[in-house]
Amino acid sequence: MEVNPPKQEHLLALKVMRLTKPTLFTNIPVTCEEKDLPGDLFNQLMRDDPSTVNGAEILMLGEMLTLPQNFGNIFLGETFSSYISVHNDSNQVVKDILVKADLQTSSQRLNLSASNAAVISFCFSLVCAVSYTTQGGEKMYFRKFFKFQVLKPLDVKTKFYNAEVSTDEVFLEAQIQNITTSPMFMEKVSLEPSIMYSVTELNSVSQAGERVSTFGSRAYLQPMDTRQYLYCLKPKKEFAEKAGIIKGVTVIGKLDIVWKTNLGERGRLQTSQLQRMAPGYGDVRLSLEAIPDTVNLEEPFHITCKITNCSERTMDLVLEMCDTSSVHWCGVSGRQLGKLLPSASLGLALTLLSSVQGLQSVSGLRLTDTFLKRTYEYDDIAQVCVVSSAIQVES
C-alpha cells in the first residue's frame, strides 16, 4: 500500500494588505432642548467630545481621522494600492527570498513590477509567488491567489439626436449616475470625438464674460444622483462635403470621465467608442440652410435649401412645389435643376407665404429623378411662426 508523504509546511507566511486613506470620523449627535429632562447634559457631553467640531457639535462629521475597519470596495477606474507582506513564522534563518506579483484577468496577465499597462476588468486576481532557501539549503516555492471583485462606480447612458435644420449636426446627451455609497466630485466629463467630428460642450453658460458651469461651482454628485451632459458634434469641413462618407458614419467618439472621492482619491474611466444609428437619408437629402423663425401673415418670406446626392449615380432632378392649405409656394413648379453628380450638393433659394396664423409646417416639395422616373417627397421640412402683419417681426 502506497503512503503519500506528509505535506511540508512553509516557513514563510504571505499576506496582502490594502493601502487606503483614512476617513473622517463620524459620530451620531444626541441632543435635546434645554426644557427637557436632561437639560444641557447631552450638549455638554458633545462639547467635551474631542471628535466633534468646536462650535458645530451637532454635525456628524468630525475633525479626526479613522483608519479603515475593513477591506472596502474596489471600483473600476480607481487606483488599487496594496503591499505584500512576507513574514518568517519559523525559528530558522531563511535566505534568497524572491517575491513576484502578477495581475491576472480573464484575458491577460501582467507583471506588476515591470508593467504600467492599464487593466479594465470587473474581476481580477493577484498572483503572488515566493521562493526562498531554507537553512539546510533546500529550495522552496509556493504561490497564493487573491481574487478581487471590481464594482462599477458609474452608470453611463447615452442618447443621440440628429438636428433637423443643420448640416449633419449630432447632439449627444450623456446621463451619468453615481451608483456608489459616497459622494463624488466630478472633475471632468469630456467627449473625445472621432476623427471626422469636432465637438462643442453645452454644459456652461456665459456670465459677465466668463464661462460658468450649469451645475454650479460645486460639482458634487451624491449617491444615486444623475447628471446630464450635452455635446454638439459637427462634421469637419473636409468630411462635410462628402455626403456619402458622413452618411455611413456610426462612430462618434468616447467619453472621458474623471472624479475624486474621499480625501482626493482620483478615478478615471473612458467609455468604449460610442455608436449611433446612422440616419437614413435615402438617395437624395434635402436640408435647410436658412429659414426665419417668425414671418408676417400673407407676406412672402425666403428659405434656403441644400440638395445632396447621396447615391452613387448621377441624377437629373426636377423640382415641384405643392401648396398646402396654409402654406403657398411662389415661383414656377416643375423647373429643371439639372444634373447632380454623386456626393455633390446644390443650393436652392425658395419663396413662399402663409395664409394662416400660428405655427405652420413647411411641406410640399417634390424632387423627381428623370433618369429612373423616381420621385422623392419632402414634407414637414421645418416650422415657422406666422403672425399678423400688424405685429412687428424682429429681424
Side-chain angles (χ1 to χ4, degrees):
M1 180 177 179
E2 184 179 355
V3 178
N4 294 325
K7 186 177 180 180
Q8 184 175 359
E9 294 292 335
H10 285 281
L11 305 179
L12 302 181
L14 175 68
K15 292 183 180 179
V16 173
M17 309 293 289
R18 186 178 183 184
L19 288 172
T20 55
K21 293 183 178 180
T23 57
L24 291 171
F25 180 79
T26 58
N27 55 66
I28 301 177
V30 180
T31 183
C32 64
E33 297 182 0
E34 293 184 0
K35 62 182 180 181
D36 292 334
L37 183 60
D40 193 48
L41 176 62
F42 291 154
N43 295 331
Q44 185 60 43
L45 289 174
M46 286 193 298
R47 287 192 291 268
D48 295 339
D49 189 342
S51 66
T52 58
V53 179
N54 188 20
E57 292 82 8
I58 60 173
L59 293 179
M60 293 183 62
L61 206 60
E63 295 180 318
M64 290 188 172
L65 298 177
T66 178
L67 295 176
Q69 302 300 308
N70 51 47
F71 193 82
N73 294 322
I74 303 174
F75 290 104
L76 187 67
E78 295 183 347
T79 302
F80 174 74
S81 301
S82 66
Y83 66 89
I84 300 172
S85 171
V86 179
H87 185 261
N88 186 358
D89 289 337
S90 70
N91 56 4
Q92 301 183 31
V93 177
V94 177
K95 59 182 181 179
D96 300 331
I97 301 173
L98 178 63
V99 180
K100 180 182 177 183
D102 292 338
L103 189 63
Q104 180 176 308
T105 69
S106 58
S107 60
Q108 56 185 324
R109 184 166 180 164
L110 300 173
N111 189 327
L112 294 182
S113 59
S115 175
N116 293 322
V119 178
I120 299 179
S121 175
F122 286 99
C123 184
F124 71 93
S125 298
L126 186 64
V127 183
C128 299
V130 179
S131 62
Y132 61 95
T133 305
T134 64
Q135 194 170 2
E138 184 180 1
K139 293 187 178 296
M140 304 292 291
Y141 173 84
F142 69 94
R143 288 193 306 172
K144 275 194 174 183
F145 294 82
F146 302 88
K147 190 172 184 178
F148 303 99
Q149 188 69 28
V150 182
L151 305 177
K152 278 178 55 178
L154 300 170
D155 185 32
V156 181
K157 298 178 181 178
T158 57
K159 295 180 181 179
F160 289 102
Y161 305 93
N162 297 311
E164 294 183 359
V165 186
S166 72
T167 53
D168 301 299
E169 283 186 353
V170 179
F171 291 91
L172 168 65
E173 176 192 344
Q175 299 180 1
I176 300 178
Q177 183 182 26
N178 176 9
I179 55 176
T180 70
T181 57
S182 303
M184 287 182 178
F185 174 78
M186 305 305 293
E187 184 174 294
K188 184 183 75 168
V189 180
S190 62
L191 176 64
E192 298 180 359
S194 62
I195 189 173
M196 292 187 180
Y197 287 93
S198 60
V199 64
T200 302
E201 292 193 10
L202 304 177
N203 305 306
S204 60
V205 293
S206 180
Q207 291 184 0
E210 296 183 357
R211 302 300 297 180
V212 179
S213 172
T214 55
F215 307 113
S217 58
R218 298 181 179 179
Y220 290 102
L221 193 60
Q222 298 295 333
M224 304 312 295
D225 278 1
T226 302
R227 183 171 293 170
Q228 294 168 303
Y229 295 84
L230 186 62
Y231 305 90
C232 176
L233 296 108
K234 297 181 180 180
K236 294 180 180 178
K237 186 176 180 180
E238 57 268 31
F239 299 107
E241 299 174 352
K242 301 177 181 179
I245 296 178
I246 290 296
K247 178 183 176 182
V249 171
T250 58
V251 176
I252 296 297
K254 57 184 178 181
L255 288 170
D256 186 14
I257 308 171
V258 181
W259 70 91
K260 290 182 179 178
T261 54
N262 278 339
L263 300 178
E265 293 179 306
R266 177 173 292 187
R268 181 181 181 183
L269 280 180
Q270 281 190 333
T271 65
S272 56
Q273 290 288 348
L274 302 176
Q275 296 187 348
R276 63 164 181 145
M277 183 67 68
Y281 298 131
D283 293 338
V284 185
R285 182 188 179 192
L286 187 143
S287 59
L288 281 180
E289 298 292 293
I291 184 172
D293 295 326
T294 307
V295 298
N296 284 331
L297 179 68
E298 297 181 345
E299 291 186 8
F301 62 94
H302 307 283
I303 65 173
T304 303
C305 301
K306 185 173 77 170
I307 300 172
T308 304
N309 183 355
C310 298
S311 70
E312 298 178 353
R313 55 184 174 83
T314 301
M315 294 183 173
D316 187 20
L317 298 176
V318 174
L319 174 66
E320 296 182 15
M321 301 178 292
C322 305
D323 293 343
T324 64
S325 59
S326 59
V327 175
H328 310 275
W329 296 93
C330 303
V332 179
S333 179
R335 59 171 164 158
Q336 294 279 345
L337 299 181
K339 295 181 179 180
L340 194 61
L341 299 176
S343 300
S345 298
L346 171 67
L348 195 62
L350 300 174
T351 304
L352 60 162
L353 61 84
S354 176
S355 59
V356 179
Q357 296 187 60
L359 193 64
Q360 303 301 327
S361 177
V362 177
S363 302
L365 288 181
R366 305 289 183 264
L367 288 172
T368 301
D369 180 14
T370 59
F371 287 155
L372 296 182
K373 307 298 183 183
R374 183 179 297 172
T375 300
Y376 305 91
E377 300 181 355
Y378 301 94
D379 294 316
D380 297 322
I381 304 168
Q383 292 180 327
V384 293
C385 181
V386 182
V387 298
S388 172
S389 57
I391 301 176
Q392 183 67 29
V393 177
E394 296 183 359
S395 58

